[in-house]
Amino acid sequence: MGKIVALVGPSACGKSSIEELMWKLNYKRCTSYTTRKPRNNEINGVEYNFITKERFFDLLKNDEILEYTQYRGYFYGLPKSAINLNDGNYVCVVDTLGYHGLKEHFGSDVIGIYICVEDHVRLARLLTRDKDVDKALGRYFADNIIFKEAEKDFTYRVHNNDLQQAVTTIHNLIVAQEIIKNKTQDDW
């Protein structure tokens, strides 16, 4: 039985970059729906399933979305069909509400990991990603408010000062949990 690694953190902390590298370690994708437009480097069906608001609400009405949230005017939701824990471990990027929704549905099979990075690094990444300085600063300050208290909800916090090291740390946490789960009292 697999686990769901839920990556949570503010914009530009490196969640999606970590997620991509974890796919290369054979973690399965949980491709969410979103109503926002794709960024230049994003491919429909890979990073997200880009859909209209009308389609999103149809999916909600038909109970086909496991968890969803609205962020900066756009909707994000995880399809119920995206996860089958018999297939192995999954990794997904969600916000705190999405994490709690996954925990409600999958319980202890969800491992929430809060991704941290220094503020100046986040700000530089946001400014590189979005040439509109006012928009980037707005997102930076909004996330500081949104995520101010969120970090305390997570057992694991991983600092993304080095992308490969962050991925290795997360993978090792999952492997260690599996080893501990499979040990019996006599093994210790």
Side-chain angles (χ1 to χ4, degrees):
M1 190 78 134
K3 297 286 185 191
I4 302 167
V5 179
L7 304 174
V8 179
S11 296
C13 70
K15 301 177 300 290
S16 296
S17 297
I18 290 170
E19 180 185 42
E20 273 185 48
L21 289 179
M22 292 189 72
W23 293 337
K24 293 176 182 174
L25 294 174
N26 295 319
Y27 286 78
K28 309 244 181 290
R29 296 175 190 258
C30 297
T31 307
S32 296
Y33 293 116
T34 184
T35 59
R36 75 165 171 77
K37 299 286 183 222
R39 295 182 186 129
N40 290 338
N41 59 338
E42 292 178 324
I43 300 167
N44 189 37
V46 178
E47 289 84 7
Y48 290 98
N49 293 304
F50 297 96
I51 60 174
T52 64
K53 278 188 182 179
E54 294 76 21
R55 175 75 176 124
F56 191 89
F57 289 119
D58 284 344
L59 292 167
L60 267 179
K61 187 173 76 176
N62 294 329
D63 198 33
E64 295 179 48
I65 294 181
L66 180 65
E67 61 80 24
Y68 75 96
T69 192
Q70 185 178 11
Y71 180 71
R72 300 187 59 76
Y74 301 107
F75 290 90
Y76 296 81
L78 189 63
K80 284 187 175 179
S81 61
I83 298 173
N84 179 352
L85 291 177
N86 292 322
D87 291 342
N89 291 325
Y90 286 80
V91 62
C92 60
V93 172
V94 293
D95 69 357
T96 53
L97 293 175
Y99 165 69
H100 291 295
L102 287 171
K103 286 293 276 187
E104 239 177 73
H105 191 79
F106 292 102
S108 63
D109 290 326
V110 178
I111 300 167
I113 300 179
Y114 189 86
I115 307 300
C116 309
V117 71
E118 282 79 16
D119 284 343
H120 70 278
V121 173
R122 272 189 53 234
L123 186 55
R125 289 176 183 170
L126 281 169
L127 290 169
T128 300
R129 181 188 295 171
D130 193 340
K131 300 303 179 204
D132 181 338
V133 174
D134 290 337
K135 187 176 173 184
L137 287 173
R139 191 170 185 175
Y140 172 80
F141 288 117
D143 276 6
N144 283 352
I145 293 167
I146 292 167
F147 288 97
K148 183 178 182 180
E149 298 296 318
E151 191 172 347
K152 69 179 178 358
D153 290 343
F154 296 87
T155 304
Y156 301 112
R157 289 164 206 81
V158 173
H159 290 271
N160 186 16
N161 299 329
D162 176 285
L163 181 60
Q164 190 57 57
Q165 183 59 47
V167 170
T168 299
T169 299
I170 293 167
H171 178 67
N172 288 345
L173 284 169
I174 307 312
V175 170
Q177 277 206 342
E178 197 60 32
I179 290 169
I180 291 168
K181 178 183 151 196
N182 292 329
K183 291 276 187 187
T184 65
Q185 191 66 29
D186 295 337
D187 292 332
W188 297 100

